[in-house]
Amino acid sequence: MNRALLALSSVAALLLAGPVQARRLPLDPLNRVHLGAALTGNTSFGLMGGLDSRLTRVLSMDVGGFFSPIPLPDDIVPDSQDGRDFVFLRHGVYVAPGFRIPHRQGDGLQWDIVGRPGFAALFSSDVQPDNQTTPNERFTTVASPAFLTAGELLLRKDSVGVRLGARGYVFRQFSGFENADITLIRPQYTAEVMYQW
């Protein structure tokens, strides 16, 4: 009798049960707006900002830019025979996916380490003296596409935090001094505040 009751209850459970789906709850949206200072190539000090948005637990997308409002000094023209020394990175916009190192977060101060490859559109100044054609045009500005790599440390308490980063831009541009295209690598160091929601 027990076996018949068990078999009948099993059949009833199979017939009355609904479909079962195994899935994870979706992630809450997570956006971080960031704004701060950037030192580009040891000479151009300026502002940097953007929006970083989470796509998965590990992957995010950062879109932003930097701007150097302080003009280059008159005495910046180097005494050099290398065309790379005449090019100074000034402004840019970028798109860079980020890969977060997964780890457990405790209560209180939270941290993340993020690596970013990406692309950028850069604006640089060529300070070679032959490029100064008119008194109002001191330096020639050149736009170039670039690759970038970056590393960032994010420290956050609740919804406010700081973001410290180092990145490198690799790009090619024409050098009037060398009369040829040259490949340039320019570093950038950033310190920003961020707000997360």
Side-chain angles (χ1 to χ4, degrees):
M1 173 111 168
N2 286 340
R3 288 184 185 181
L5 188 57
L6 182 63
L8 185 60
S9 63
S10 298
V11 170
L14 287 173
L15 293 175
L16 298 175
V20 177
Q21 297 177 358
R23 63 178 154 163
R24 233 191 272 189
L25 294 175
L27 291 172
D28 291 331
L30 179 77
N31 297 302
R32 295 177 177 142
V33 64
H34 53 91
L35 180 66
L39 176 63
T40 308
N42 301 330
T43 54
S44 294
F45 183 76
L47 302 174
M48 179 164 206
L51 176 68
D52 187 16
S53 188
R54 176 170 70 184
L55 302 176
T56 68
R57 293 188 189 281
V58 176
L59 182 65
S60 66
M61 184 64 71
D62 189 21
V63 178
F66 60 96
F67 174 70
S68 301
I70 302 169
L72 292 171
D74 292 328
D75 60 351
I76 200 165
V77 177
D79 183 22
S80 174
Q81 297 300 314
D82 188 353
R84 292 170 184 79
D85 295 337
F86 291 95
V87 178
F88 295 90
L89 186 56
R90 303 288 291 150
H91 321 296
V93 292
Y94 65 87
V95 175
F99 299 94
R100 172 183 169 266
I101 296 175
H103 63 281
R104 291 189 177 273
Q105 294 282 17
D107 294 334
L109 186 66
Q110 297 185 345
W111 61 274
D112 282 314
I113 295 176
V114 179
R116 294 188 187 280
F119 301 96
L122 303 179
F123 300 89
S124 57
S125 292
D126 190 344
V127 301
Q128 189 221 343
D130 293 343
N131 289 338
Q132 300 172 25
T133 55
T134 65
N136 294 333
E137 185 183 335
R138 288 181 39 227
F139 306 128
T140 301
T141 301
V142 179
S144 305
F147 293 107
L148 75 91
T149 58
E152 297 168 352
L153 171 65
L154 289 76
L155 300 172
R156 182 175 54 84
K157 174 82 169 147
D158 296 325
S159 60
V160 179
V162 295
R163 176 174 139 153
L164 306 172
R167 52 183 68 202
Y169 296 95
V170 180
F171 61 103
R172 288 181 61 80
Q173 96 174 36
F174 182 79
S175 168
F177 184 80
E178 295 191 7
N179 200 23
D181 285 335
I182 56 175
T183 300
L184 298 148
I185 300 173
R186 291 294 182 258
Q188 184 179 61
Y189 308 99
T190 62
E192 301 170 279
V193 295
M194 68 178 185
Y195 177 74
Q196 174 176 299
W197 73 94

